[in-house]
């Protein structure tokens, strides 16, 4: 019995010890938490800042372009940012979120070659350091392109800039890809779209609002498809089918056709106009024509004057010759 009594006394003493130890630990931790609450903010770690530094990756956090983009996209999640050497030692940025890493990888890989491709046509007189952003949601995409709720879900990418006065170099330019661009386009499609939007970046200083879209969008598509080895029918399948049915366009594409159900066919026609000029004449005259036509709003009469000056054809003659060229491409 004495042995059993001693075991009980030992067990009671151990439980008292454990209870006292637990109370002491609770008191200590409570005091530590209180001390942390009383510490000034400067003494506390800043996990958010550390996350941002880790997420930046290859691009320096001090880059002002990255700081500007971060203000817009950081609320949508962690950031991935890559720095790419482009054009005469310039540094471009590709920015997005981890969920868009596949698209970011493709754009990072293609950006230097895309910059070179645009420069080969347009020349070196443009800022060859670009910012490319991949949005993670429709609301982020609309915010980045300043479109609000009116942004069409059909738009896979857009280029934007700060307001600028004619004769000055645009600032705040960036290309923004929609959140579903990677699902809608394969790597070849992303490359082509990148070159298209990069052309708008390069030409923006010489482009005015209201200039004919057949010139603006056709030239961007021409540069995007140039030297990629794709046949006419692959670039313009709708136009090819209509041409083979002898349903050739009767006029240059109207601005209204670039939205709505016939937008794809209208873009094909605009591309074909610029491809015709480059093939029948040369790229320098295509660039000269762009600079003249994109400089202001046009009418058929003013287009007629410019076409006579640059190509030596009246507008009606130009359209007839383009139609003949289309027939020859689609035989």
């Amino acid at each position: 019995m004495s042995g059993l009594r001693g075991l009980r006394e030992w067990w009671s003493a151990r439980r008292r010890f454990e209870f006292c130890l637990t109370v002491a630990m609770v008191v200590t931790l409570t005091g530590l938490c209180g001390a942390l609450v009383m510490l000034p903010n400067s003494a506390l770690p800043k996990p958010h800042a550390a996350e941002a530094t880790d997420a930046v990756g290859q691009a320096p956090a001090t880059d002002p372009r990255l700081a500007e983009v971060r203000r817009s996209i950081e609320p949508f999640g962690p950031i991935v940012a890559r720095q790419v050497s482009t054009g005469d030692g310039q540094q471009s940025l590709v920015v997005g979120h981890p969920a868009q890493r596949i698209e970011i990888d493709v754009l990072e890989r293609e950006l230097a070659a895309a910059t070179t491709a645009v420069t080969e046509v347009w020349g070196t007189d443009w800022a060859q350091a670009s910012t490319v952003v991949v949005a993670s949601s429709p609301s982020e995409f609309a915010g980045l392109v300043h479109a609000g709720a009116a942004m069409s879900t059909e738009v896979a990418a857009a280029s934007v800039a700060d307001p600028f006065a004619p004769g000055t170099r645009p600032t705040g330019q960036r290309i923004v890809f929609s959140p579903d661009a990677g699902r809608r386009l394969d790597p070849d499609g992303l490359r082509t779209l990148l070159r298209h939007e990069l052309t708008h970046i390069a030409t923006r200083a010489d482009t005015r609002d209201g200039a004919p879209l057949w010139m603006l969008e056709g030239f961007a598509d021409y540069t995007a498809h140039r030297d990629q080895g794709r046949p006419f029918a692959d670039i313009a399948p709708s136009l090819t089918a209509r041409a083979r049915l002898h349903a050739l366009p009767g006029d240059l594409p109207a601005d209204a056709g670039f939205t709505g159900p016939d937008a794809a066919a209208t873009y094909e026609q605009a591309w074909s106009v610029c491809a015709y000029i480059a093939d029948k004449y040369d790229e320098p005259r295509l660039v000269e024509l762009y600079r003249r036509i994109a400089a202001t709003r046009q009418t058929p009469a003013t287009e007629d004057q410019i076409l006579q000056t640059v190509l030596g054809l009246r507008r009606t003659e130009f359209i007839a010759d383009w139609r003949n060229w289309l027939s020859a491409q689609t035989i």
Side-chain angles (χ1 to χ4, degrees), residues 22-39:
T22 301
V23 171
M25 290 179 66
V26 169
V27 171
T28 300
L29 289 174
T30 302
L32 179 60
C33 291
L36 287 173
V37 169
M38 297 300 292
L39 280 174

Side-chain angles (χ1 to χ4, degrees), residues 115-301:
T115 302
T116 299
V118 173
T119 300
E120 286 176 352
V121 178
W122 185 250
T124 58
D125 187 23
W126 66 288
Q128 298 171 57
S130 309
T131 301
V132 181
V133 187
V134 184
S136 63
S137 67
S139 58
E140 183 180 13
F141 182 46
L144 285 165
V145 300
H146 311 304
M151 193 66 190
S152 170
T153 58
E154 297 300 315
V155 177
S159 60
V160 296
D162 296 333
F164 67 99
T168 63
R169 187 178 290 273
T171 60
Q173 293 209 88
R174 61 174 172 254
I175 298 169
V176 186
F177 282 79
S178 73
D180 63 347
R183 293 189 294 273
R184 293 163 55 185
L185 301 170
D186 60 14
D188 287 344
L190 286 173
R191 176 179 64 243
T192 301
L193 186 55
L194 175 63
R195 295 185 181 199
H196 177 104
E197 296 301 335
L198 203 59
T199 303
H200 288 314
I201 295 289
T203 60
R204 195 177 302 278
D206 292 272
T207 304
R208 299 293 175 268
D209 290 342
L213 291 180
W214 69 262
M215 186 81 262
L216 309 189
E217 298 300 337
F219 185 77
D221 260 6
Y222 169 79
T223 304
H225 290 293
R226 174 182 176 270
D227 289 345
Q228 293 210 52
R230 298 182 64 198
F232 185 101
D234 284 357
I235 298 173
S238 297
L239 182 57
T240 299
R242 294 182 184 186
R244 288 173 177 168
L245 293 173
H246 305 290
L248 293 168
D251 200 352
L252 298 174
D255 285 3
F258 287 88
T259 57
D262 289 331
T266 304
Y267 272 90
E268 291 176 14
Q269 291 177 28
W271 163 78
S272 73
V273 175
C274 293
Y276 149 71
I277 296 167
D279 183 48
K280 179 73 180 288
Y281 300 92
D282 52 36
E283 283 184 351
R285 271 188 279 189
L286 172 60
V287 171
E288 182 183 357
L289 193 67
Y290 182 97
R291 292 183 185 276
R292 289 173 178 264
I293 289 181
T296 186
R297 293 178 180 271
Q298 302 292 342
T299 65

Side-chain angles (χ1 to χ4, degrees), residues 65 83-92 115 126-130:
R65 296 170 300 171
Q83 192 173 67
V84 183
S85 295
T86 53
D88 195 27
Q90 302 293 318
Q91 297 296 323
S92 294
T115 302
W126 66 288
Q128 298 171 57
S130 309

Side-chain angles (χ1 to χ4, degrees), residues 300-314:
T302 58
E303 286 180 353
D304 186 85
Q305 294 174 354
I306 293 171
L307 289 166
Q308 287 188 70
T309 300
V310 178
L311 303 180
L313 293 176
R314 299 191 66 89

